[in-house]
Amino acid sequence: MATSTITGVMALLKAKMEALQIGGLDVFGAVSDFANGDFEGYPACMITEVGGKGETLDTHRNQRTHEFMIRLYQEQSRAGKTKEEAATKMRAIADAVLVALDTDKTLSGEVDIVRVVEFETSFKVTAGTFNFASFRVEVAVLVLNHN
């Protein structure tokens, strides 16, 4: 296993979201691995770390579980996507994220397991009108103790 750090796991999740396609086309106009509200394109994806936990397995190994939020944003406007188009697109993207994480449970062998433990979709009118989806993801890794 090559990755056990927050930085390393974040890079794996970001690469997974950047590579996501539907019908042979890239899904996201922008993917960031930091808090961001100014997206270069839509739909947008923002991944942030939210914490973690760990437990000692034995004298040589710890099990660490990193927690991340993957947030998706799709604008809805007269010039952009209609209400129906934005909702349909958000459902398709949310499904693609779930399938991507369900079918690559170890992020190509780099982690022990990825679990989508919770997800939510919503709609909000702010400075613009957006459809949202968020996924709480746990990524478990084995950390070797070096005594």
Side-chain angles (χ1 to χ4, degrees), residues 42-59:
Y42 290 95
C45 175
M46 179 177 63
I47 308 165
T48 55
E49 66 274 10
V50 294
K53 54 191 168 202
E55 69 177 290
T56 301
L57 298 178
D58 56 38
T59 58

Side-chain angles (χ1 to χ4, degrees), residues 8-66:
V9 175
M10 175 70 80
L12 293 171
L13 289 172
K14 184 178 182 198
K16 186 66 149 175
M17 294 302 106
E18 287 174 333
L20 200 60
Q21 294 190 333
I22 296 177
L25 300 173
D26 290 340
V27 168
F28 296 112
V31 177
S32 66
D33 56 0
F34 53 89
N36 183 17
D38 185 24
F39 302 113
E40 296 174 11
Y42 290 95
C45 175
M46 179 177 63
I47 308 165
T48 55
E49 66 274 10
V50 294
K53 54 191 168 202
E55 69 177 290
T56 301
L57 298 178
D58 56 38
T59 58
H60 299 299
R61 300 174 303 152
N62 294 333
Q63 178 79 45
R64 183 164 300 129
T65 303
H66 300 284

Side-chain angles (χ1 to χ4, degrees), residues 72-76 83 86-87 90 122-123 129-133:
L72 313 180
Y73 303 87
Q74 173 60 54
E75 94 285 1
Q76 182 186 115
K83 296 172 189 171
M90 184 54 71
S122 62
F123 164 84
T129 306
F130 296 89
N131 290 63
F132 298 92

Side-chain angles (χ1 to χ4, degrees), residues 31 44 49 77 82 95 97 114:
V31 177
E49 66 274 10
S77 69
T82 67
D95 283 341
V97 168
V114 174

Side-chain angles (χ1 to χ4, degrees), residues 108-124:
S108 299
E110 295 292 322
V111 301
D112 287 331
I113 191 165
V114 174
R115 291 183 288 271
V116 176
V117 294
E118 181 180 353
F119 68 93
E120 177 183 341
T121 59
S122 62
F123 164 84
K124 189 173 186 181

